[in-house]
């Protein structure tokens, strides 16, 4: 969601949540979360304002939340961990 946006996502619309980590250089990486709905993919940087509260809200409101999921290599420098997938 773009900074300053007032978009709202209903819990029932969320089909998947993933954590991601992208390595840019040897010591630099970006990490965050992606929330996937049937209509759109939303990405949040781990440093974004409110992401800690968002993570807690996701864990409280989505069944089968797996915060301890292992990261899997998607491609060189990109890793993802599936935290939630709608049944």
């Amino acid at each position: 969601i773009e900074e300053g946006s007032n978009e709202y996502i209903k819990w029932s619309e969320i089909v998947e949540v993933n954590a991601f980590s992208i390595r840019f250089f040897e010591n630099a990486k970006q990490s965050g979360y992606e929330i996937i709905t049937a209509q759109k993919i939303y990405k949040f940087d781990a440093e974004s304002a409110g992401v800690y509260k968002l993570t807690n809200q996701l864990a409280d409101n989505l069944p089968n939340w797996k915060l301890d999921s292992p990261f899997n290599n998607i491609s060189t420098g990109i890793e993802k961990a599936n935290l939630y997938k709608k049944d």
Side-chain angles (χ1 to χ4, degrees):
I1 296 178
E2 293 183 27
E3 194 170 320
S5 173
N6 285 330
E7 279 188 65
Y8 295 96
I9 306 167
K10 294 179 183 178
W11 299 118
S12 61
E13 294 176 347
I14 297 173
V15 294
E16 190 170 346
V17 179
N18 297 302
F20 67 85
S21 175
I22 303 170
R23 183 171 302 282
F24 292 104
F25 300 104
E26 188 173 321
N27 294 326
K29 69 178 181 177
Q30 178 183 11
S31 59
Y33 299 94
E34 64 180 7
I35 298 175
I36 302 170
T37 68
Q39 293 80 27
K40 194 171 180 180
I41 298 175
Y42 301 89
K43 294 193 179 192
F44 300 90
D45 188 287
E47 303 299 320
S48 298
V51 81
Y52 179 77
K53 183 176 181 179
L54 171 65
T55 304
N56 288 335
Q57 290 292 311
L58 289 166
D60 290 344
N61 289 283
L62 297 175
N64 306 322
W65 182 257
K66 301 175 287 194
L67 193 56
D68 60 348
S69 291
F71 277 85
N72 298 304
N73 285 325
I74 302 302
S75 65
T76 304
I78 301 174
E79 297 179 318
K80 278 191 182 181
N82 181 258
L83 305 176
Y84 168 78
K85 193 162 194 166
K86 194 174 205 173
D87 294 331

